[in-house]
Amino acid sequence: MLKRYFPILEWGRSYNRDVLTSDLMAAVIVTIMLIPQSLAYALLAGLPPVVGLYASILPLMLYAVFGTSRTLAVGPVAVISLMTASAAGAVAGQGTAEYLEAAITLAFLSGVMLAILGLLRAGFLANLLSHPVISGFITASGILIATSQIKHIVGVKAGGDNWPEMIGALASVIGDINPTTIAIGIPAMMFLFWVRKGAKPALQSLGMPARAADMTAKAGPVVAVALSIMAVIFFDLEAAGVAITGSIPQGLPPFAVPSTDLALIEQLWVPALLISIIGFVESVSVAQTLAAKRRQRISPDQELIGLGASNIASAFSGGYPVTGGFARSAVNFDAGAQTPAAGAFTAVGIALATLFLTPLLYSLPIATLAATIIVAVLSLVDLRTPQRLWHYSKADFAAHAATIAITLLAGVELGVIAGVIVGLLLYLWRASRPHAAIVGRVPETEHFRNVDRHKVFTVPHILSIRIDEALTYLNARWLEEYVLEQVADRPAVRHVILMCSAVNEVDASGLESLEAINHRLGDAKVGLHLSEVKGPVMDRLKRSHFIDELNGQVYLSQSKAFDSLVADDGTPPEPHDQYLARGLI
Amino acid sequence: MLKRYFPILEWGRSYNRDVLTSDLMAAVIVTIMLIPQSLAYALLAGLPPVVGLYASILPLMLYAVFGTSRTLAVGPVAVISLMTASAAGAVAGQGTAEYLEAAITLAFLSGVMLAILGLLRAGFLANLLSHPVISGFITASGILIATSQIKHIVGVKAGGDNWPEMIGALASVIGDINPTTIAIGIPAMMFLFWVRKGAKPALQSLGMPARAADMTAKAGPVVAVALSIMAVIFFDLEAAGVAITGSIPQGLPPFAVPSTDLALIEQLWVPALLISIIGFVESVSVAQTLAAKRRQRISPDQELIGLGASNIASAFSGGYPVTGGFARSAVNFDAGAQTPAAGAFTAVGIALATLFLTPLLYSLPIATLAATIIVAVLSLVDLRTPQRLWHYSKADFAAHAATIAITLLAGVELGVIAGVIVGLLLYLWRASRPHAAIVGRVPETEHFRNVDRHKVFTVPHILSIRIDEALTYLNARWLEEYVLEQVADRPAVRHVILMCSAVNEVDASGLESLEAINHRLGDAKVGLHLSEVKGPVMDRLKRSHFIDELNGQVYLSQSKAFDSLVADDGTPPEPHDQYLARGLI
């Protein structure tokens, strides 16, 4: 029990020197990667850069205690930063104390919600977000984020929560463009793009081993940061109007208190819930992918608790909402992290950075951070998925396209909500029109197949219907309509056999529909029979009076049902299309 | 095409004298039943009684043109009247012109919504209301309605939209009780209760044939109305403080215009939508029950259009929201109605009543109408369903109980919404935890069954999993977790076979999960195979790259898959529990 809620008790027991070495090694690499990323994502969230560092210390410690993934790296991520900016921006202006308070409160609310969902074991709620909705949301967020950073690259001030607003705001300040800022931003961006693809082969061609080259390439953003700081100092670019980070408070995270103002909480709870769910889905996907590679397990319900604890910790240490990020977790995994202790060591690394490194970052140009963000998020934009979905399933494509369009046009919050609703409506639409087939006997076998697809034998007075769906309230009405229509169309029918081999559940509404079908067929003097009912479904049906009141029999197999009812009447089974041609069916 | 939207063109062609006689006969009986009912339900809706008559004229005519049920009788019904009172009461006080305007606008909005849903063929939305939610809602509405009429029986003024409010309001005016009103109300109620059960046998014992006795008993409320009018006139009860109907405007319905005030529409659209959906569900259930008895068909999407036209007509003729009612439709059916023309004739009957009968109703006591309502709605209260649901399915019971509780405590609108949400959450919870079984070969057959329930043969390096569910986004995550956990638990496994006989669909999220499982098992050097994939599912999978990238084979049957993989390795299948006992599985 204790181990379920404190996974550290599980892996901590077998911790040894070898594991420690691997974890420390990974922590060093992730720390180097995380410093510029944390600063950049805080900027994206509209917060002072140091808040990104604060959000990368205590949350990692707490995740190490409560998380079930061995290799997940928690901290600020792009999409959640954008959502934070959108939610906090609705409450206060960027740069104000109220804005920071809103961000802290978001982390707190989101942490509490995640922890409660975890204690309620309600991880299933994340299922509401289908893959097409998530990928649409991430693509659109990537576009929004990249667009939001253009202002920093060209040195203007502009705002906007959605694409039309952002483009409009940029267009209106086009005269204010600062060429010196562009001279920093564009080369930084080009360098970072090159680092992603070209640095590893280049380092290898210089004789570095593949793995080391890969890890070194991950430090590309640090190089960009260092070079651009030097450029600012050397050429005194601050005087030329290049925006810089300025003085960052030195020292460990402060103790912060989330707001208890009910009016603020009322404004923030919906975005906090959306941040929680999006953050959870992103984090669990990453954790599962990595766990599977080493045949490890994660527990989604405990992950909710782990992320909840991390966010609560983030709030109390002056941070903002965090979650498990893909890029950094993959680096952590590749660098050889064995346990969540690697995350705790990373936290120590970041803490040391806040103690000693921040003065060095004074002259860091904002444009370089923006370049880091743009290069990172453009890889989120996925143009192949829409094509693939269009080809595979129009309904899934519709959910994907609606999510992209609404996220771009109306912002991240409405985008997620619309995606969930469109997905649910399409699901309900499909669930209300399940598949059923009229079946007949494949000659000389005990198999029954669709009369429209196979050469099968039938008799006019027996109608065999295979139901290819669980009978739940979403389709109960359909079954009534379908069965009664089929019987209404075939005046010769005296018996209906429902073949239930693919009926995985019958809920109370499904039961009532079966009862209604039974009564209505009884009124019309037609027998209702069931065949191949699964064990658990039969167990449940026996708890009702349905079987007693059934206007026919329950048969073990479709074949037995058909044989027995044919024998009662004497009409011989003949090829279905012959009966059809003679107008008897 | 034209016949689809105008079902009258279908049945009108074969209309003849015999059918006319049957329809006229039924119309006379339904008219007699409908007059007191229409007055009473208008009272329940907080409207002048004549509005109930108006709502029983044009709507019936329009339904005769657009409706697909041969025997449905449209008009004011109890639950919709209560919902109208609740929605209009939130906008204006009863008795004001604004209140009437709100009721008319509700009918208009509801009619437009129904018609649009019908044109979009969106009848499936009614599936959101599961049987347990509907029956809970109707039980709670019955209790609320009966409680709301107590004030008229005891002659006091009181209000309230939910049970605590109603009880509180009644308690506060207990001193104002009018004994003369009680002397009318209680006997009327007792008489009507007796009529429901005792009148038919009594008439039969007087020598009347069963069918005639049944029909005559339906006129019980008319007798109660006539007797109580006579009592009021004879004893001058008006002077004793008995509330009476008073003067009812004589003449055909006026031409009314729904409000186009956007502020009002904004307040009313949610209740109008709820009224539409509840009305549609009630009406379709009744229509289907009756159609099935004569092997007729109804079209739910066209029913939306028929009810939409009826409600729009109701709005323009000074009425309020209407739908198909159970009691009157059953009477119409039993009285021998053959076509919707019976409804049109009923409309003529009611129109004649508004022209000539209304002066006779001047002295009708309100208490008698209230007694009619109480007796009618108490039959809606169903105390057996909760027991049955508790026994059959705890989840369905929870949805039922939540709907009853919230409807009673917070009113009809929140009750319906809560029922839909609770039902959906429980469905999603169940859908996210579908059933799967690890299977092995039943000796000397080609059947594969659950290893936990049957004596079967397996081999340690092959894991056969039967998936008992469609793979959609609601459970895609589950499948990944389930398969990867099973593999993580069994280090000997080299091949996984997914047996797909009950997989009725694979949506884009399901496909991505299969791809993820394939990649992850590939990373762990485990083969992934599929067996018994259904035709339509396979067709769709072939439109993706999944089959090409599959880290194994697709087999026609589970038996072929197992045999082929066993042959590759050579380990002989042995009883599953022997392998288990030896710690090999």
Side-chain angles (χ1 to χ4, degrees):
Chain A
M1 181 68 181
L2 211 59
K3 273 184 197 164
R4 187 169 109 191
Y5 289 115
F6 295 91
I8 193 174
L9 300 175
E10 183 77 31
W11 57 263
R13 270 190 320 174
S14 54
Y15 206 77
N16 60 34
R17 221 179 131 131
D18 283 353
V19 179
L20 175 69
T21 315
S22 302
D23 283 351
L24 273 177
M25 181 76 177
V28 169
I29 294 171
V30 175
T31 304
I32 293 172
M33 178 189 178
L34 212 52
I35 293 173
Q37 238 186 39
S38 300
L39 299 171
Y41 289 150
L43 179 74
L44 169 57
L47 294 162
V50 74
V51 173
L53 295 176
Y54 294 164
S56 307
I57 302 175
L58 265 196
L60 280 70
M61 303 266 189
L62 270 288
Y63 185 81
V65 175
F66 291 103
T68 59
S69 164
R70 300 290 173 96
T71 46
L72 191 73
V74 169
V77 307
V79 171
I80 298 298
S81 300
L82 177 69
M83 294 178 81
T84 301
S86 164
V91 171
Q94 285 194 11
T96 63
E98 288 75 26
Y99 188 93
L100 178 59
E101 188 181 33
I104 289 173
T105 307
L106 274 174
F108 178 71
L109 291 176
S110 162
V112 170
M113 286 172 181
L114 286 164
I116 290 175
L117 290 174
L119 293 172
L120 293 175
R121 315 194 77 65
F124 74 93
L125 282 181
N127 292 337
L128 282 173
L129 290 165
S130 66
H131 290 199
V133 167
I134 296 169
S135 84
F137 178 72
I138 288 180
T139 287
S141 299
I143 296 172
L144 282 181
I145 293 169
T147 310
S148 76
Q149 298 307 303
I150 293 174
K151 63 182 179 211
H152 296 306
I153 299 282
V154 301
V156 297
K157 289 196 187 303
D161 275 338
N162 57 48
W163 221 35
E165 280 177 21
M166 288 175 182
I167 300 287
L170 284 174
S172 70
V173 292
I174 209 159
D176 304 343
I177 284 178
N178 180 310
T180 323
T181 304
I182 295 183
I184 289 280
I186 301 286
M189 206 155 65
M190 287 169 62
F191 172 74
L192 289 168
F193 270 119
W194 172 78
V195 161
R196 282 184 90 81
K197 301 280 176 195
K200 187 184 164 191
L203 289 168
Q204 280 183 282
S205 72
L206 292 175
M208 200 183 270
R211 218 177 104 83
D214 201 25
M215 289 297 137
T216 311
K218 299 285 190 240
V222 174
V223 175
V225 163
L227 289 177
S228 55
I229 290 174
M230 286 188 263
V232 169
I233 296 171
F234 196 76
F235 300 110
D236 191 18
L237 296 181
E238 193 182 353
V242 172
I244 56 166
T245 306
S247 86
I248 298 178
Q250 207 170 345
L252 290 175
F255 176 73
V257 182
S259 170
T260 51
D261 175 7
L262 281 181
L264 183 65
I265 291 172
E266 205 177 319
Q267 279 183 287
L268 293 180
W269 77 266
V270 172
L273 183 63
L274 296 176
I275 286 173
S276 305
I277 293 179
I278 294 282
F280 174 64
V281 169
E282 181 170 351
S283 189
V284 161
S285 314
V286 175
Q288 269 177 338
T289 306
L290 298 179
K293 287 194 185 177
R294 293 197 190 146
R295 284 200 177 193
Q296 292 165 345
R297 276 192 204 184
I298 64 152
S299 150
D301 286 324
Q302 178 62 24
E303 281 299 287
L304 281 166
I305 295 176
L307 291 175
S310 297
N311 276 293
I312 294 172
S314 187
F316 282 104
S317 58
Y320 73 105
V322 294
T323 194
F326 181 75
R328 77 188 57 165
S329 299
V331 169
N332 196 33
F333 182 93
D334 289 342
Q338 297 291 323
T339 75
F345 301 145
T346 305
V348 172
I350 305 274
L352 292 174
T354 64
L355 283 173
F356 305 112
L357 280 186
T358 48
L360 301 180
L361 299 171
Y362 179 89
S363 298
L364 172 60
I366 301 289
T368 305
L369 291 179
T372 317
I373 296 175
I374 291 178
V375 173
V377 298
L378 281 184
S379 67
L380 300 179
V381 178
D382 173 3
L383 299 175
R384 276 171 46 229
T385 293
Q387 295 168 36
R388 207 167 42 76
L389 288 175
W390 174 258
H391 200 62
Y392 184 74
S393 153
K394 299 294 177 286
D396 281 310
F397 175 81
H400 182 74
T403 308
I404 293 183
I406 297 172
T407 305
L408 286 179
L409 297 177
V412 279
E413 285 162 21
L414 280 176
V416 181
I417 294 173
V420 169
I421 292 176
V422 170
L424 216 46
L425 286 179
L426 288 168
Y427 178 86
L428 294 175
W429 181 76
R430 284 183 292 179
S432 69
R433 282 166 168 68
H435 187 251
I438 295 181
V439 295
R441 181 197 288 279
V442 178
E444 290 168 34
T445 72
E446 296 192 349
H447 290 306
F448 281 73
R449 291 288 166 86
N450 193 336
V451 296
D452 295 331
R453 290 184 180 234
H454 300 267
K455 296 260 170 221
V456 294
F457 276 56
T458 56
V459 290
H461 71 288
I462 300 175
L463 179 64
S464 303
I465 298 175
R466 190 189 68 218
I467 306 166
D468 282 349
E469 190 71 60
L471 297 179
T472 68
Y473 76 97
L474 293 176
N475 57 34
R477 209 174 306 281
W478 159 85
L479 186 71
E480 271 177 69
E481 285 166 22
Y482 180 82
V483 172
L484 298 173
E485 277 188 16
Q486 298 305 324
V487 174
D489 280 351
R490 292 175 178 76
V493 166
R494 315 265 12 107
H495 296 282
V496 172
I497 309 171
L498 298 181
M499 181 177 166
C500 301
S501 47
V503 175
N504 298 311
E505 195 199 339
V506 176
D507 76 1
S509 304
L511 175 67
E512 276 198 41
S513 283
L514 285 176
E515 286 172 343
I517 293 169
N518 185 43
H519 287 140
R520 291 170 188 187
L521 291 182
D523 288 348
K525 312 271 181 234
V526 174
L528 177 66
H529 311 268
L530 305 182
S531 74
E532 305 194 5
V533 182
K534 296 195 180 195
V537 172
M538 196 64 194
D539 291 348
R540 177 158 278 192
L541 287 180
K542 280 184 180 157
R543 284 198 249 153
S544 74
H545 296 294
F546 176 66
I547 300 295
D548 307 334
E549 288 164 7
L550 186 67
N551 169 32
Q553 304 290 319
V554 179
Y555 294 92
L556 202 66
S557 75
Q558 172 63 23
S559 170
K560 283 191 184 163
F562 189 76
D563 287 348
S564 151
L565 293 170
V566 163
D568 280 358
D569 181 271
T571 315
E574 286 186 26
H576 184 75
D577 29 5
Q578 288 189 21
Y579 274 127
L580 208 61
R582 281 149 56 196
L584 290 170
I585 285 180
Chain B
M1 180 66 180
L2 210 59
K3 274 185 199 163
R4 189 170 108 190
Y5 289 114
F6 296 92
I8 193 174
L9 299 175
E10 184 77 31
W11 58 263
R13 271 190 321 174
S14 55
Y15 207 77
N16 60 33
R17 222 179 129 133
D18 284 353
V19 180
L20 174 69
T21 315
S22 301
D23 283 351
L24 273 177
M25 180 72 177
V28 170
I29 293 171
V30 175
T31 304
I32 293 172
M33 179 189 178
L34 212 51
I35 293 173
Q37 237 185 40
S38 300
L39 298 171
Y41 289 151
L43 180 74
L44 170 58
L47 293 162
V50 74
V51 173
L53 295 175
Y54 294 164
S56 307
I57 302 175
L58 266 196
L60 280 69
M61 303 265 188
L62 270 287
Y63 185 81
V65 175
F66 292 102
T68 59
S69 163
R70 299 289 172 96
T71 46
L72 191 73
V74 169
V77 306
V79 171
I80 298 298
S81 300
L82 177 70
M83 295 178 80
T84 301
S86 164
V91 171
Q94 285 194 12
T96 62
E98 289 75 26
Y99 188 94
L100 178 60
E101 188 181 33
I104 289 172
T105 308
L106 274 174
F108 179 71
L109 291 176
S110 162
V112 170
M113 286 172 180
L114 286 164
I116 290 174
L117 290 175
L119 293 172
L120 293 175
R121 315 193 77 63
F124 74 91
L125 281 181
N127 292 337
L128 282 173
L129 290 165
S130 66
H131 289 200
V133 167
I134 296 169
S135 84
F137 178 71
I138 287 181
T139 287
S141 299
I143 296 172
L144 282 182
I145 293 169
T147 309
S148 77
Q149 298 307 303
I150 292 174
K151 63 182 181 212
H152 295 306
I153 299 282
V154 300
V156 297
K157 289 193 189 304
D161 275 339
N162 57 49
W163 221 36
E165 281 177 21
M166 287 176 182
I167 300 287
L170 284 175
S172 70
V173 293
I174 209 159
D176 305 344
I177 283 178
N178 180 308
T180 322
T181 306
I182 294 183
I184 289 280
I186 300 286
M189 207 155 66
M190 287 167 62
F191 172 74
L192 289 168
F193 269 119
W194 173 78
V195 161
R196 283 184 90 81
K197 300 280 176 194
K200 187 184 165 189
L203 290 168
Q204 277 183 284
S205 71
L206 293 175
M208 201 183 269
R211 217 175 104 84
D214 200 25
M215 289 297 137
T216 312
K218 300 284 190 239
V222 174
V223 175
V225 163
L227 289 177
S228 56
I229 289 174
M230 283 190 265
V232 168
I233 295 171
F234 195 75
F235 300 111
D236 192 16
L237 297 181
E238 194 182 353
V242 172
I244 58 168
T245 306
S247 86
I248 299 177
Q250 207 169 348
L252 291 175
F255 176 72
V257 182
S259 170
T260 52
D261 174 7
L262 279 183
L264 182 65
I265 291 172
E266 206 178 317
Q267 279 183 288
L268 293 180
W269 76 268
V270 173
L273 184 64
L274 297 175
I275 287 173
S276 305
I277 293 178
I278 293 282
F280 174 63
V281 169
E282 179 170 353
S283 189
V284 161
S285 313
V286 176
Q288 269 177 339
T289 305
L290 298 178
K293 288 195 183 175
R294 294 196 189 145
R295 284 202 178 192
Q296 294 165 344
R297 277 192 204 183
I298 63 152
S299 150
D301 286 324
Q302 178 62 23
E303 280 299 288
L304 281 166
I305 295 177
L307 291 176
S310 296
N311 275 293
I312 294 171
S314 187
F316 282 104
S317 58
Y320 74 105
V322 295
T323 196
F326 181 74
R328 77 189 56 165
S329 299
V331 169
N332 196 34
F333 183 92
D334 290 342
Q338 297 291 321
T339 74
F345 300 145
T346 304
V348 172
I350 306 274
L352 291 174
T354 64
L355 283 173
F356 305 111
L357 280 187
T358 48
L360 301 181
L361 299 171
Y362 178 89
S363 298
L364 172 60
I366 300 289
T368 305
L369 290 179
T372 316
I373 295 174
I374 290 178
V375 173
V377 299
L378 281 184
S379 67
L380 300 180
V381 177
D382 174 2
L383 298 175
R384 278 171 44 229
T385 294
Q387 295 168 33
R388 206 167 42 77
L389 288 174
W390 174 259
H391 200 62
Y392 185 74
S393 153
K394 299 294 178 286
D396 281 310
F397 174 82
H400 182 73
T403 308
I404 293 183
I406 297 172
T407 305
L408 285 179
L409 297 178
V412 280
E413 284 161 21
L414 281 176
V416 181
I417 294 172
V420 169
I421 292 175
V422 170
L424 216 46
L425 285 179
L426 288 169
Y427 178 85
L428 294 175
W429 181 76
R430 284 184 291 180
S432 68
R433 282 164 168 70
H435 187 251
I438 294 181
V439 294
R441 181 198 289 279
V442 178
E444 290 166 35
T445 72
E446 296 192 351
H447 289 307
F448 281 72
R449 291 287 166 88
N450 193 336
V451 295
D452 295 331
R453 291 185 181 233
H454 300 268
K455 296 259 169 220
V456 294
F457 277 57
T458 57
V459 290
H461 71 289
I462 300 175
L463 178 65
S464 302
I465 298 175
R466 188 189 69 215
I467 305 168
D468 282 348
E469 190 71 61
L471 297 178
T472 68
Y473 76 97
L474 294 177
N475 58 33
R477 207 176 306 280
W478 160 84
L479 185 71
E480 272 176 68
E481 285 166 23
Y482 180 82
V483 172
L484 298 174
E485 277 188 16
Q486 298 305 324
V487 174
D489 279 350
R490 293 176 178 76
V493 166
R494 315 261 18 102
H495 296 283
V496 172
I497 310 171
L498 298 181
M499 180 176 167
C500 301
S501 46
V503 175
N504 297 311
E505 195 199 338
V506 177
D507 76 0
S509 304
L511 175 67
E512 276 198 41
S513 283
L514 286 176
E515 286 171 345
I517 292 170
N518 185 41
H519 288 140
R520 291 172 188 187
L521 291 182
D523 288 349
K525 312 275 181 229
V526 174
L528 177 67
H529 311 269
L530 305 181
S531 74
E532 305 195 5
V533 182
K534 297 196 178 193
V537 172
M538 196 65 194
D539 291 350
R540 178 158 278 191
L541 287 180
K542 280 183 180 158
R543 286 197 248 154
S544 74
H545 297 295
F546 176 65
I547 300 294
D548 307 334
E549 288 164 7
L550 185 67
N551 169 31
Q553 304 290 318
V554 180
Y555 294 92
L556 202 67
S557 75
Q558 174 61 25
S559 170
K560 282 190 185 167
F562 189 75
D563 288 348
S564 151
L565 294 170
V566 163
D568 279 359
D569 181 273
T571 315
E574 284 186 27
H576 183 74
D577 28 6
Q578 288 190 19
Y579 274 128
L580 206 60
R582 280 148 57 195
L584 290 170
I585 284 180

